[in-house]
């Protein structure tokens, strides 16, 4: 099931506002895409079209840039984003096992979102918290020295709360 | 007013992950409750470096170092230490080697062999307050440069210092500045490369979060030297705290007119803006980074022309990384000769390393060039945990290679590490022990480069993919005799023919492990076994006679595959075993090994 994103008037106004400000600076595209990703949670084709028109670029170019960078997504993400660090320091301390445990618990592969839209599972490269390896983050909160048990417990807690 | 006591709380990424923000709030609450706000002041600093001990609290004046401090410990520190004047013994740092307890920050073994130049202010000042940076001679170098020196003299000083680029390449910084200065154009740019992408490295993050002004000051000095009036910091979006602090630092510097028009009344104007990376490792390559700022896909361009001639929007551009810039103000404050007196002749100064993996003291260390790997790993790092033996040191991340125990006494500098088949890289230093499989490590790095290859040139796009296919096959137990030769041939071809640094160095992890750990590759290919017990299809765990019958493995096996009584040798049922390796890593006497399966499904011990 793919999640629907909401393109509200309010969010659109926000996007137009940032584009207006960005147009005054050299190189307006990247800051605009960052803003769009933040406002909508993803940058689907309708949004790409708006940006293309406003910044006077082809849709092909906008699409090319959006798909090049790992931080921009075309599909909406789940309510809770779980990122398991696969940086070297975490990897040699067993973070692959943590990622597998999440995949097993959520029944999805890395990069996918659960059918209920509650979780997106991601594998990320170094987040610079190597002293706590292995680490995973849930919505930017870092959980260090993690184990298969703490991973599964974290999921259960979120499920319980929602 | 001056407070009697300063409580420094580490706000670095690792300590923050361990809850130092909550700690800071608790300290403030308790101080307020007890009416001690006039006597004791809390400061949230940048990274102290000793991440393994986090969250860290240091109490001045006596620089007492507390480790693993939790919210519940705050009350004790305030009542015992702040009010009572007695050190809280149980929270003192316990040395990893001799288990002694030390209380004085600067006397800890971890810091004894370090020399902090780039990290000079990390852990000492509040990075949110420009005045604290100024109090530590901040912006004094810029003032000196703008009022007493010509751009030519600035470049001459940089050249005399011998500073080499800390981002990995080791190119002389002064020379780079000179190239950009000599390009004739009314518009030039200074870029700070803060797209720290090497997985396992977080030096730049520590500088950006702990001492952002040092980077701004250096960029302005560079701008004056090359004739640029605009700077950009290209920082990865994965570091939100760094982004926030940089923006705050820029705002504060503008307010005090240390950035903007006519700085120090010198007639020189310079401003800095932030640009965010978006999760592409290749953007650490300077031409790809420039393409990204311009709003293109972050793909590298052919060099020449070098950015110093034609860079951002076609104008001459100088790109240096964060740590390089962080060294610059000190060179002007203390002189090029002083800088040269630190480190080795060909690599003056220090280098910051992110020490990680199988090491006691994970964290950030800054050592003079010429320090040996052994000193870093054993004296500063505290050695390998769990009585394991070191197997390899990986430096340079996906572009670097593995160094074996035999080479640990090599003095670290740019040229020595390259001669060992690795490289300095940005400063990731990952320690691996016997439980790490070197074939799997090579596969891990290649998986990374395949993922991050931008796809522009064929050798990198296709070649690394083919190498990864072969490595995957070997790890699955389907490798054949030809594979190792093909790997080597492909590796050399990719190195020779790729467009940018990413492709040219991508085969290094494979080549260096093939060179130093060929036997391990052969075990995978011919004996169909992973001796480290990592590649699950090639792992058959057995308990050897070294077993002391402590039952630890049996208790930690998630599937109950291990039987044995106390003080009796244990036995692993391979039909139940899921090859997770929990037993092997927990065994106190290293009695669990992975052996080849013999005919008939038996494993010989």
């Amino acid at each position: 099931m793919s999640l629907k994103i909401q393109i509200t008037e309010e969010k659109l106004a926000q996007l137009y506002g940032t584009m207006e400000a960005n147009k005054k600076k050299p190189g307006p595209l990247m800051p605009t895409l960052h803003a769009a990703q933040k406002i909508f949670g993803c940058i689907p084709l309708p949004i790409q079209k708006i940006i293309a028109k406003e910044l006077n670029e082809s849709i092909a170019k906008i699409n090319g840039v959006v798909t090049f960078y790992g931080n921009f997504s075309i599909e909406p993400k789940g309510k809770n984003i779980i990122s398991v660090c696969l940086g070297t320091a975490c990897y040699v301390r067993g973070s692959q096992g943590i990622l597998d445990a999440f995949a097993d618990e959520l029944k999805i592969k890395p990069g996918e979102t659960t059918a209920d839209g509650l979780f997106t599972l991601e594998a990320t490269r170094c987040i610079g918290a190597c002293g706590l390896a292995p680490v995973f983050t849930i919505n930017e909160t870092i959980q260090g020295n993690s184990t298969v048990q703490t991973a599964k417990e974290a999921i259960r807690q979120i499920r319980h709360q929602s | 007013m001056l407070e009697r006591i300063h409580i420094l709380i580490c706000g670095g990424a690792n300590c923050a992950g361990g809850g130092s923000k909550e700690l800071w709030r608790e300290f403030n609450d308790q101080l307020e409750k007890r009416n001690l706000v006039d006597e004791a002041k809390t400061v949230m600093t940048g990274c102290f470096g000793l991440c393994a001990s986090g969250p860290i609290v240091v109490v001045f004046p006596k620089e007492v170092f507390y480790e693993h401090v939790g919210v519940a410990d705050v009350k004790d520190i305030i009542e015992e230490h702040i009010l009572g004047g007695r050190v809280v013994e149980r929270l003192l740092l316990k040395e990893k080697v001799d288990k002694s307890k030390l209380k004085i920050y600067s006397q800890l073994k971890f810091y004894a062999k370090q020399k902090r130049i780039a990290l000079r202010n990390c852990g000492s000042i509040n990075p949110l307050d420009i005045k604290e940076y100024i109090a530590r001679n901040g912006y004094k170098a810029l003032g000196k440069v703008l009022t007493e020196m010509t751009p030519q003299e600035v470049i001459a000083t940089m050249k005399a210092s011998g500073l080499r680029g800390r981002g990995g390449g080791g190119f002389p910084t002064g020379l780079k500045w000179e190239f950009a200065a000599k390009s004739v154009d009314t518009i030039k740019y200074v870029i700070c490369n803060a797209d720290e992408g090497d997985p396992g490295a977080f030096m730049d993050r520590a500088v950006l979060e702990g001492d952002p002004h040092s980077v701004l000051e250096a960029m302005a000095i560079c701008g004056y030297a090359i004739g640029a009036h605009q700077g950009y910091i290209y920082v990865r979006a994965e570091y939100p705290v760094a982004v926030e602090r940089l923006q705050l630092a820029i705002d504060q510097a503008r307010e005090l007119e240390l950035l903007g028009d006519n700085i120090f009344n010198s007639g020189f104007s310079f401003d800095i803006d932030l640009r965010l990376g978006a999760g592409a490792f290749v953007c650490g390559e300077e031409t790809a980074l420039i393409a990204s700022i311009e709003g293109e896909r972050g793909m590298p361009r052919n060099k020449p022309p070098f950015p110093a001639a034609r860079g951002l929007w076609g104008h001459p551009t100088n790109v240096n990384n964060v740590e390089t810039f962080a060294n610059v103000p000190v060179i002007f404050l203390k002189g090029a000769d002083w800088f040269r007196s630190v480190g080795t002749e060909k690599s003056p100064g220090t280098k910051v390393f992110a020490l990680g993996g199988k090491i006691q003291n994970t964290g950030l260390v800054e050592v003079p060039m010429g320090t040996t790997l052994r000193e870093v790993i054993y004296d500063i790092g505290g050695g390998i945990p769990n009585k394991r033996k070191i197997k390899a040191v990986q430096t340079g991340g996906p572009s670097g290679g593995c160094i074996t125990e035999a080479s640990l006494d090599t003095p670290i500098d740019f040229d020595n590490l390259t001669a060992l088949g690795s490289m300095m890289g940005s400063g990731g230093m990952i320690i691996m022990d016997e439980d790490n499989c070197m074939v799997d490590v090579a596969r891990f790095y290649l998986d990374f480069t395949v993922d991050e290859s931008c796809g522009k040139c064929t050798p990198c796009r296709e070649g690394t993919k083919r190498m990864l296919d072969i490595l995957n096959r070997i790890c699955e137990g389907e490798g054949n005799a030809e594979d190792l030769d093909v790997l080597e041939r492909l590796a050399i071809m990719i190195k020779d023919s790729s467009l940018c640094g990413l492709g040219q160095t991508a085969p290094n992890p494979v080549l260096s492990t093939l060179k130093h750990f060929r036997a391990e590759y052969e075990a995978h290919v011919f004996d169909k076994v992973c001796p480290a017990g990592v590649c699950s299809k090639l792992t058959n765990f057995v308990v050897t006679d070294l077993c002391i019958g402590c039952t630890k493995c049996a208790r930690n096996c998630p599937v109950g595959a291990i039987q044995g009584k106390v003080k009796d040798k244990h036995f692993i049922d391979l039909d139940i075993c899921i090859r997770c390796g929990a037993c092997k890593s927990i065994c106190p006497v290293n009695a669990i090994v992975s052996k080849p399966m013999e005919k008939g499904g038996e494993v010989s011990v």
Side-chain angles (χ1 to χ4, degrees):
Chain A
M1 177 192 112
S2 69
L3 303 164
K4 280 254 179 310
I5 73 150
Q6 299 206 320
I7 303 177
T8 59
E9 286 297 318
E10 191 187 342
K11 284 180 178 174
L12 275 178
Q14 227 180 319
L15 179 66
Y16 277 108
T18 48
M19 281 194 288
E20 209 48 55
N22 287 335
K23 269 195 279 187
K24 289 175 196 141
K25 296 189 265 188
L29 182 53
M30 291 294 281
T32 300
L33 293 180
H34 273 292
Q37 175 74 36
K38 203 167 181 185
I39 295 168
F40 300 102
C42 62
I43 314 175
L45 207 52
I47 304 293
Q48 291 174 31
K49 283 180 185 165
I50 293 171
I51 295 171
K53 198 172 165 208
E54 196 65 18
L55 298 185
N56 209 9
E57 300 270 12
S58 70
I59 297 172
K61 174 173 175 190
I62 306 290
N63 188 267
V65 175
V66 169
T67 51
F68 183 82
Y69 294 97
N71 290 359
F72 302 141
S73 59
I74 296 176
E75 298 272 323
K77 291 183 179 178
K79 211 172 138 201
N80 299 287
I81 297 171
I82 297 173
S83 302
V84 181
C85 180
L86 285 190
T88 322
C90 286
Y91 187 77
V92 301
R93 285 206 186 180
S95 64
Q96 182 69 48
I98 310 280
L99 182 64
D100 293 344
F102 274 119
D104 179 55
E105 184 73 25
L106 297 171
K107 307 273 178 291
I108 50 172
K109 288 193 208 105
E112 293 179 351
T113 302
T114 52
D116 57 6
L118 204 52
F119 296 101
T120 295
L121 180 60
E122 289 176 348
T124 172
R125 304 298 182 182
C126 193
I127 55 164
C130 312
L132 299 172
V135 302
F136 63 86
T137 60
I138 297 184
N139 307 327
E140 297 191 356
T141 313
I142 298 175
Q143 310 242 358
N145 297 318
S146 56
T147 62
V148 171
Q149 278 79 17
T150 57
K152 296 203 167 182
E153 181 54 35
I155 297 293
R156 265 173 235 139
Q157 252 181 28
I158 294 176
R159 278 199 180 129
H160 188 70
Q161 282 161 8
S162 45
Chain B
M1 80 164 281
L2 276 177
E3 294 84 359
R4 182 172 63 92
I5 290 169
H6 283 196
I7 303 167
L8 271 53
I9 302 155
C10 179
N14 288 278
C15 287
S20 59
K21 247 196 188 145
E22 290 76 25
L23 211 56
W24 180 71
R25 257 184 249 125
E26 180 72 10
F27 265 113
N28 286 341
D29 283 355
Q30 297 250 1
L31 289 174
E32 203 162 318
K33 233 190 263 167
R34 291 177 161 81
N35 246 338
L36 290 170
V37 187
D38 292 341
E39 285 207 44
K41 180 187 175 187
T42 56
V43 184
M44 192 87 160
T45 69
C47 182
F48 275 91
L50 187 45
C51 307
S53 289
I56 291 167
V57 172
V58 177
V59 182
F60 279 79
K62 286 196 175 145
E63 40 174 320
V64 178
F65 192 102
Y66 292 124
E67 68 171 352
H68 302 306
V69 182
V71 170
D73 300 319
V74 171
K75 193 165 162 264
D76 275 7
I77 294 180
I78 291 186
E79 287 181 358
E80 284 285 307
H81 188 142
I82 312 291
L83 289 173
R86 291 178 300 269
V87 167
V88 185
E89 289 277 341
R90 65 178 179 88
L91 294 173
L92 289 179
L93 178 125
K94 206 154 118 213
E95 289 284 2
K96 301 293 189 306
V97 184
D98 56 9
K99 306 286 176 206
S100 63
K101 282 195 170 185
L102 262 184
K103 60 180 177 190
I104 311 292
Y105 172 31
S106 51
Q107 286 176 1
L108 301 186
K109 288 199 178 71
F110 179 74
Y111 295 103
K113 288 201 171 174
Q114 293 198 47
K115 185 166 182 71
R116 295 187 137 208
I117 298 177
L119 297 177
R120 61 195 176 280
N121 291 326
C122 288
S124 304
I125 63 167
N126 173 4
L128 305 180
D129 188 352
I130 189 171
K131 286 180 195 151
E132 295 211 5
Y133 178 68
I134 292 171
R136 305 257 300 190
N137 290 326
Y139 290 102
K140 195 171 163 188
L142 179 62
K144 182 177 164 185
V145 162
L146 293 186
T147 54
E148 296 170 17
M149 296 172 84
T150 64
Q152 291 76 21
E153 283 168 347
V154 173
I155 288 170
T157 305
M158 285 304 291
K159 280 170 80 175
S161 75
L163 175 68
R164 296 171 68 173
R166 300 295 195 245
F171 191 80
T173 307
L175 212 54
K176 210 172 186 181
W177 288 19
E178 190 174 54
F179 289 148
K182 281 187 175 160
S183 295
V184 183
D185 197 331
T186 47
I187 299 173
K188 294 183 187 180
Y189 295 105
V190 175
I191 294 178
C192 172
N193 183 348
D195 193 40
E196 184 172 55
D198 169 4
F202 54 105
M203 305 71 51
D204 294 348
R205 176 180 193 160
V207 173
L208 297 172
E209 292 183 4
D211 193 19
H213 286 287
S214 66
V215 176
L216 306 187
E217 182 180 7
M219 287 177 73
I221 292 173
C222 176
Y224 177 70
I226 71 167
H229 301 289
Q230 177 66 46
Y232 288 104
I233 303 177
Y234 186 84
V235 54
R236 50 192 308 232
E238 287 88 339
Y239 290 172
V241 178
V243 173
E244 198 184 297
R245 291 189 182 169
L246 278 171
Q247 192 55 59
L248 183 74
I250 291 172
D251 294 343
Q252 289 181 347
R254 279 180 187 153
E255 205 178 302
L256 296 186
E257 296 178 3
L258 295 163
L259 286 177
D261 290 335
N262 193 19
I263 304 169
F264 286 114
N265 263 332
S266 63
F268 171 69
S269 303
F270 191 78
D271 206 355
I272 297 173
D273 275 317
L274 293 184
R275 284 291 186 273
L276 264 55
F281 175 68
V282 70
C283 288
E285 201 280 337
E286 56 183 9
T287 59
L289 186 157
I290 287 170
S292 181
I293 294 182
E294 289 172 351
E296 305 283 336
R297 291 164 74 96
M299 288 176 163
R301 296 164 181 175
N302 267 323
K303 290 195 271 193
F306 287 90
R310 270 179 64 87
L312 189 59
W313 292 299
H315 298 290
T317 303
N318 179 69
V319 187
N320 286 128
N321 104 312
V322 173
E323 192 187 331
T324 313
F325 275 129
N327 276 291
V328 169
V330 188
I331 291 173
F332 288 94
L333 286 175
K334 297 195 173 179
D337 289 340
W338 173 84
F339 190 76
R340 268 205 171 279
S341 72
V342 181
T344 63
E345 201 201 324
K346 286 191 172 160
S347 303
T350 58
K351 180 75 193 85
V352 185
F353 289 100
L355 205 51
K358 304 290 182 65
I359 183 97
Q360 296 271 18
N361 294 332
T362 46
L364 274 190
V365 304
E366 181 172 358
V367 289
M369 296 274 192
T371 307
T372 66
L373 287 162
R374 191 180 300 280
E375 287 173 289
V376 172
I377 296 163
Y378 289 94
D379 296 344
I380 298 171
I384 320 298
N386 302 328
K387 294 183 188 153
R388 290 294 196 265
K389 273 207 300 214
I390 187 168
K391 189 171 191 176
V393 184
Q394 212 281 349
T395 65
S399 303
C402 290
I403 298 165
T404 57
E405 197 185 0
S407 307
L408 286 190
D409 290 310
T410 311
I412 301 167
D413 71 10
F414 286 102
D415 311 303
N416 283 346
L417 291 185
T418 308
L420 286 176
S422 184
M423 67 184 284
M424 181 76 82
S426 56
M429 189 183 277
I430 309 286
I431 315 299
M432 296 174 202
D433 69 7
E434 306 149 273
D435 293 345
N436 292 117
C437 165
M438 301 317 286
V439 184
D440 180 63
V441 165
R443 191 178 64 97
F444 165 79
Y445 278 116
L446 217 58
D447 184 56
F448 179 86
T449 23
V450 167
D451 225 25
E452 296 295 343
S453 170
C454 78
K456 183 167 180 169
C457 73
T458 318
C460 176
R461 184 184 65 238
E462 294 297 329
T464 53
K465 187 97 179 60
R466 295 287 85 78
M467 284 179 74
L468 180 63
D469 286 346
I470 295 174
L471 284 171
N472 278 335
R473 238 179 23 235
I474 293 175
C475 291
E476 295 279 310
E478 283 152 24
N480 59 50
E482 275 179 9
D483 279 345
L484 300 187
D485 295 333
V486 177
L487 262 183
E488 225 154 10
R489 262 211 323 274
L490 271 171
I492 291 164
M493 220 167 347
I494 294 166
K495 262 175 93 89
D496 287 345
S497 53
S498 290
L499 172 66
C500 82
L502 191 150
Q504 286 160 13
T505 57
N508 284 352
V510 179
L511 282 174
S512 81
T513 46
L514 262 176
K515 184 175 163 198
H516 296 302
F517 300 95
R518 199 172 183 101
E520 207 167 329
Y521 277 88
E522 286 170 351
H524 282 72
V525 173
F526 301 115
D527 305 335
K528 304 293 175 203
V529 66
C530 173
V534 174
C535 306
S536 58
K537 288 205 173 148
L538 298 177
T539 292
N540 305 298
F541 286 124
V542 288
V543 184
T544 65
D545 290 341
L546 290 173
C547 176
I548 51 168
C550 71
T551 74
K552 254 190 176 174
C553 58
R555 278 181 283 132
N556 279 281
C557 177
V559 291
I562 306 178
Q563 282 108 48
K565 289 189 198 119
V566 186
K567 305 287 175 204
D568 262 351
K569 186 181 153 186
H570 283 47
F571 169 79
I572 301 174
D573 187 340
L574 287 176
D575 290 335
I576 305 173
C577 173
I578 54 166
R579 275 82 174 165
C580 71
C583 54
K584 189 174 192 293
S585 53
I586 203 134
C587 178
V589 291
N590 223 352
I592 296 171
V593 295
S594 170
K595 286 271 183 137
M597 188 81 81
E598 286 185 350
K599 275 180 197 143
E602 284 295 309
V603 180
S604 66
V605 177

